[in-house]
């Protein structure tokens, strides 16, 4: 609800009394959150406008830039402002004090309009997390990445109750094979899933089997450093996840592309826009030809550390993938600086990266 000057108070607010509430609201919508908090102390008029829950700063509350100064009382002040909150970002918060152990936080997250919650690098306790998540039944996006030292696998299990999730980031968490399988079993609307660097998942093939079966609309999948992933898991993706647009297989050292699993994946998932094959030593000319043939819409390709990549293969890919804007050829032994120079001249719209030093 927009306020009129008459709604504010009987005090003289100078020229601001002449401004329509819509104009003041529009001006405030451009201010950073900390300025909104300061402005609320100027007058009753500004106080009421600054506490308007329709302000975009309150609907999309980002507290990450202020992690080092936030306290429990800081959260108390946002309860009345966030009655229409849609997204809440608490990244990095709570490490230097117990500001997250606040009743106000529980009040904020149970607002029914909240659909996005970012808790990456957040110093949560297991007890708080188990209390928090059941209050957020309408979440469609959840990020708990890099909470390995804070949240146990047993507490992450509660994520499975969030059946409306579309995007889930579990990068570098304590999730194990059983927990991950339980989550993808229950969260069947998932379209974007990050399971990178989850070192307690000892059988990625099982998880991919379950995810590809239960989440047919999966569009992006991050499996960076999935050490136990083999061609078996890649075949599951090829058979069932044909809507994939982005796939990260970087540093998945047990994938042996010589058995044709990647070629089959490229044939079946031909809508790919982003493909990361970082440090996959088994990539050969055949895989590059398959990329050029089956993935014409590819925009980003990472081949870092692939010693078998040749200039002819790269030229074929760039010639067929006309939308390519990023190509990483760092540490590809057969690609020289001279090759990079000529490729950059020939394909100026594509940013081609090349490095020979660590």
């Amino acid at each position: 609800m927009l306020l009129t000057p008459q709604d504010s108070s009987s005090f003289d607010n100078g020229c601001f009394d002449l401004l329509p509430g819509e104009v003041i609201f529009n001006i405030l919508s451009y201010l950073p959150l900390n300025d909104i908090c300061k402005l609320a102390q100027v007058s009753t008029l500004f106080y009421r406008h600054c506490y308007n829950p329709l302000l975009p700063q309150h609907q999309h509350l980002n507290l990450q830039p202020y992690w080092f100064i936030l306290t429990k009382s800081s959260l108390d002040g946002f309860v009345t402002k966030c009655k229409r909150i849609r997204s809440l970002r608490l990244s990095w918060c709570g490490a230097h004090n117990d500001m997250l152990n606040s009743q106000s936080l529980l009040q904020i997250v149970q607002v029914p309009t909240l659909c996005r919650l970012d808790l990456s690098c957040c110093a949560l306790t297991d007890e708080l997390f188990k209390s928090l998540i059941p209050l957020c039944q309408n979440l469609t996006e959840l990020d708990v990445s890099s909470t390995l030292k804070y949240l146990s696998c047993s507490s992450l299990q509660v994520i499975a109750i969030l059946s409306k999730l579309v995007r889930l980031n579990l990068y570098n968490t304590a999730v194990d094979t059983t927990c991950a399988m339980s989550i993808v079993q229950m969260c069947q609307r998932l379209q974007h899933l990050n399971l990178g660097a989850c070192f307690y998942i000892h059988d990625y093939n099982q998880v991919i089997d379950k995810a590809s079966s239960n989440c047919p609309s999966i569009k992006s999948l991050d499996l960076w450093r999935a050490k136990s992933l083999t061609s078996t898991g890649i075949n599951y993706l090829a058979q069932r996840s044909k809507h994939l647009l982005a796939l990260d297989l970087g540093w998945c050292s047990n994938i042996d592309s010589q058995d044709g699993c990647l070629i089959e994946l490229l044939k079946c998932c031909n809508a790919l826009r982003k493909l990361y094959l970082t440090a996959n030593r088994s990539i050969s000319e055949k895989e590059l030809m398959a990329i050029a043939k089956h993935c014409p819409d590819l925009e980003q390709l990472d081949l870092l550390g692939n010693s078998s990549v040749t200039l002819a293969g790269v030229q074929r890919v760039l010639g067929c993938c006309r939308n390519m804007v990023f190509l990483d050829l760092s540490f590809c032994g057969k690609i020289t600086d001279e090759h990079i120079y000529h490729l950059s001249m020939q394909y100026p719209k594509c940013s081609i990266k090349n490095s020979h030093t660590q």
Side-chain angles (χ1 to χ4, degrees), residues 155-221:
S155 65
L156 292 170
Q157 184 75 41
V158 73
I159 295 174
I161 69 174
L162 301 176
S163 60
K164 296 180 181 180
L165 279 182
V166 174
R167 185 183 299 271
L168 176 61
N169 190 345
L170 292 169
Y171 171 83
N172 194 27
T173 61
V175 65
D176 64 11
T177 305
T178 303
C179 180
M181 291 176 65
S182 174
I183 290 173
V184 297
Q185 170 82 33
M186 302 302 294
C187 303
Q188 298 187 9
R189 299 184 187 181
L190 280 174
Q191 295 181 18
H192 309 278
L193 178 62
N194 190 332
L195 292 172
C198 293
F199 301 115
Y200 290 101
I201 296 180
H202 298 304
D203 192 341
Y204 267 94
N205 292 331
Q206 283 190 34
V207 177
I208 296 305
D209 182 17
K210 186 70 71 173
S212 58
S213 298
N214 289 281
C215 307
S217 300
I218 200 81
K219 294 180 180 179
S220 68
L221 185 60

Side-chain angles (χ1 to χ4, degrees), residues 7 54 64 75 140 156 238 249 265 343:
D7 292 329
L54 294 180
Q64 179 184 0
L75 286 178
T140 58
L156 292 170
L249 298 174
L265 175 73
L343 288 171

Side-chain angles (χ1 to χ4, degrees), residues 262-297:
L262 284 179
I263 293 178
E264 187 63 25
L265 175 73
L266 294 166
K267 287 181 181 178
C268 297
C269 303
N270 51 23
L272 279 170
R273 302 291 192 275
K274 300 178 183 179
L275 179 61
Y276 302 129
L277 299 171
T278 314
N280 188 318
R281 309 290 196 253
S282 63
I283 295 293
S284 66
E285 200 78 0
K286 291 186 297 183
E287 281 72 38
L288 293 182
M289 294 301 106
I291 291 173
K293 180 179 180 180
H294 301 295
C295 302
D297 297 323

